[in-house]
Amino acid sequence: MNKNKLFFLSILVLVFSFSSCQGPSSKRIIKLGHGLGVTHPVHEAMLYLAKKVEEKSGGEMIVKIYPNQQLGSERELVELLQIGSLGMTKVSSAALEGFAPTMQVFGMPYLFRDDAHQLSVLQGEIGKKLLLDPEKYLLRGLCYYDSGKRSFYTKDKPVETPADLAGLKIRVMESNTASNMVKSLGGSPTPVSYGELYTALQQGIVDGAENNAPSLYTSKHYEVCKYYSIDEHTALPDVMIVSTKVWESLNEQQQKWLQEAADESATYEYKIWAEATEEALNEMQKAGVMISYPDKEPFRQAVESMYSDLKVQQPEIYKIVEEIRAVK
């Protein structure tokens, strides 16, 4: 059975089961699917969210979590949200840009000055507005999760300068911004589903990828890629989103429970993310991964043309860049 048929069947199953979300016990069950493994800190944050929803509602409302791409890839999960067959998912802002164009601003390399600047943006008016922008596409952002900074990891040699990416096939998410960034740095961007990436690395379909340290560690990609070059080219937040069809089916009290639980889970996730990053780097070094910290300036210079192009081609997105840069 091909993938399209499997996906179509999964939609039918979910559509059929959606009516059971309001069970005979009058409990409201919301399904949350995502692509990460159960040891990932973001999965832990989602468990925390589910716990808080149950506590706040006195058991009247349940968030049921399906990790490891059980219900589909990141893109497929977002599509299921749009038709209301799935309640919630965690998605990278990079993958979300294909559905909500303003989200692509987060994929611009070296956008934030530092962690404090990023947090000010996400927790301020700009961040709040961007969370709600996808509503016109039937998706509502609830909160941001820290997803660290993305850097390159490779199989055969470290990436110390942009020139080292020449001729390398680098896995990217389904994001035009991510593809343009890798092209600007001299690499060959190759979209691969996160769940299929380990095999793609093993088989040489790609020569490397780019991600944060906890994801590299929990995915076990470090077993194949022994070079991690921390150039920190992007700081893409993860976004917890809910189907607007599901959100609008909740009463005001249920919406309040869910939003409060999401906000509290984000605070919790930021705390455990730093710990997970430190642990991941330590454990990967023990496993023989060579970690390096290349000079970022050549990388910054190589991608500067992306901002020039953005200003001309998408002035509305460039305006958001300017607003972000103006945040103190």
Side-chain angles (χ1 to χ4, degrees):
M1 186 178 294
N2 64 37
K3 186 176 179 182
N4 288 337
K5 287 182 179 178
L6 280 172
F7 182 49
F8 178 70
L9 285 175
S10 73
I11 290 178
L12 289 180
V13 169
L14 284 164
V15 168
F16 178 79
S17 64
F18 184 65
S19 61
S20 69
C21 287
Q22 194 76 34
S25 63
S26 78
K27 286 187 178 181
R28 183 61 193 264
I29 299 173
I30 299 177
K31 295 180 179 179
L32 191 169
H34 69 87
L36 300 174
V38 295
T39 59
H40 198 285
V42 174
H43 175 73
E44 292 183 39
M46 287 184 266
L47 292 176
Y48 189 88
L49 183 154
K51 174 186 172 186
K52 287 298 177 182
V53 165
E54 187 168 6
E55 286 177 358
K56 290 174 183 294
S57 68
E60 292 180 24
M61 196 169 167
I62 303 293
V63 174
K64 193 170 183 181
I65 300 174
Y66 298 84
N68 284 318
Q69 290 193 341
Q70 289 179 43
L71 302 182
S73 68
E74 212 168 40
R75 182 176 186 83
E76 290 165 348
L77 293 173
V78 176
E79 290 170 347
L80 288 173
L81 258 68
Q82 289 182 307
I83 62 174
S85 294
L86 183 66
M88 299 169 64
T89 189
K90 186 288 304 176
V91 66
S92 168
S93 55
L96 193 54
E97 74 179 54
F99 300 88
T102 54
M103 281 287 171
Q104 71 182 278
V105 71
F106 291 129
M108 294 300 290
Y110 302 107
L111 174 66
F112 300 109
R113 294 187 298 274
D114 50 35
D115 292 343
H117 179 217
Q118 183 187 24
L119 197 59
S120 293
V121 171
L122 297 183
Q123 293 184 345
E125 291 306 312
I126 297 172
K128 291 174 183 175
K129 181 180 182 300
L130 289 171
L131 274 180
L132 298 181
D133 270 3
E135 280 193 313
K136 61 177 75 77
Y137 307 101
L138 306 178
L139 307 165
R140 179 186 177 92
L142 292 174
C143 68
Y144 297 104
Y145 286 150
D146 189 4
S147 191
K149 298 178 180 66
R150 299 177 76 90
S151 297
F152 292 107
Y153 54 91
T154 44
K155 292 172 63 176
D156 300 320
K157 65 176 183 178
V159 176
E160 298 299 329
T161 69
D164 293 325
L165 286 165
L168 296 187
K169 292 172 290 183
I170 301 297
R171 179 265 175 178
V172 294
M173 293 175 282
E174 290 188 41
S175 156
N176 288 333
T177 310
S179 293
N180 290 339
M181 180 200 66
V182 170
K183 285 179 185 175
S184 297
L185 293 171
S188 176
T190 308
V192 176
S193 166
Y194 188 69
E196 298 170 356
L197 181 51
Y198 189 101
T199 302
L201 288 164
Q202 276 187 319
Q203 296 178 350
I205 295 171
V206 291
D207 303 302
E210 46 90 47
N211 215 324
N212 54 63
S215 294
L216 172 55
Y217 178 57
T218 59
S219 65
K220 298 188 183 296
H221 295 168
Y222 70 91
E223 294 176 348
V224 185
C225 295
K226 293 299 183 181
Y227 299 96
Y228 190 37
S229 306
I230 303 181
D231 67 303
E232 299 184 326
H233 44 262
T234 50
L236 291 158
D238 279 342
V239 188
M240 176 57 65
I241 56 175
V242 60
S243 164
T244 56
K245 293 180 183 292
V246 172
W247 177 260
E248 290 165 5
S249 73
L250 301 177
N251 62 41
E252 188 175 339
Q253 180 62 72
Q254 290 171 328
Q255 290 177 350
K256 186 172 184 288
W257 287 332
L258 184 56
Q259 185 62 65
E260 286 179 352
D263 291 339
E264 290 173 22
S265 74
T267 300
Y268 174 72
E269 193 271 347
Y270 268 79
K271 289 179 181 177
I272 64 174
W273 183 264
E275 298 169 4
T277 299
E278 184 177 356
E279 179 189 5
L281 292 173
N282 289 337
E283 292 301 318
M284 287 190 294
Q285 281 184 308
K286 291 177 186 177
V289 175
M290 294 182 63
I291 297 174
S292 60
Y293 296 84
D295 180 5
K296 295 178 186 178
E297 194 53 36
F299 292 88
R300 282 197 187 94
Q301 291 177 5
V303 298
E304 192 57 37
S305 61
M306 289 181 64
Y307 286 95
S308 303
D309 293 341
L310 189 70
K311 186 175 183 179
V312 174
Q313 298 168 6
Q314 294 180 282
E316 70 284 358
I317 304 296
Y318 188 78
K319 182 181 177 183
I320 302 173
V321 168
E322 291 183 308
E323 291 171 354
I324 288 173
R325 286 176 168 173
V327 172
K328 301 302 181 186

